[in-house]
Amino acid sequence: PFVVTENCIKCKHTDCVEVCPVDCFHEGPNFLVIDPDECIDCTLCEPECPVNAIFPEDDVPAGQEGFVALNAELAKAWPVLTVRKDPPADAGDWDGKPGKLELLER
Ligand code: SF4
Ligand code: F3S
C-alpha cells in the first residue's frame, strides 16, 4: 500500500482524497492516513500531494518507517474523507518543516 508521511502533518491539503478509487483516506485533526487494507496500489494519489507526503510502503523517506504502522493504526480510528476541503490557512508555512510528528493531533 501507499503511506502518508510526516510532511502531511499541518499541511493537510486533501487533494489526495478525491482521486482514490477505493476511498481509503481517513482524516484526523491535522493529518490524513491511508488504510493499508483498502489501498489497491493504483498510484493515483502520489502525484496529487502538493507537499509530496505520499510514498509506497517500501519507499518511505529514511527515518519515517514508523509511518507505515501509524497509517494502519490511525485508519482504524479516524473517519473516511472523500471530498477535498480547504487546507489550514498556514499550511504553506509548514511544508518541509522538521519534527512535525510531535505536533500530530489524535
Ligand atoms: Fe487510494 Fe490508489 Fe492512493 Fe492507494 S494508491 S491510497 S488506492 S489513490
Ligand atoms: Fe496530506 Fe498531501 Fe493529502 S498534504 S492530505 S497527503 S494532499
Side-chain angles (χ1 to χ4, degrees):
F2 279 62
V3 174
V4 184
T5 62
E6 186 167 13
N7 207 28
C8 176
I9 297 170
K10 292 183 77 70
C11 286
K12 201 185 178 195
H13 287 281
T14 70
D15 302 71
C16 53
V17 308
E18 298 246 345
V19 300
C20 183
V22 292
D23 298 347
C24 48
F25 283 91
H26 293 247
E27 183 191 23
N30 64 3
F31 183 49
L32 253 63
V33 294
I34 290 168
D35 184 343
D37 295 331
E38 298 292 334
C39 177
I40 57 172
D41 285 323
C42 75
T43 77
L44 290 176
C45 58
E46 187 179 18
E48 291 299 315
C49 178
V51 299
N52 299 311
I54 303 175
F55 293 87
E57 179 180 47
D58 59 4
D59 197 27
V60 299
Q64 295 196 42
E65 295 80 3
F67 278 84
V68 176
L70 195 58
N71 275 239
E73 176 195 340
L74 296 175
K76 289 185 167 55
W78 288 348
V80 169
L81 180 71
T82 59
V83 179
R84 187 186 175 282
K85 30 167 96 169
D86 289 337
D90 62 349
D93 298 339
W94 289 98
D95 180 11
K97 286 263 168 67
K100 291 202 284 181
L101 180 55
E102 292 176 16
L103 304 172
L104 174 66
E105 295 173 33
R106 301 204 177 215

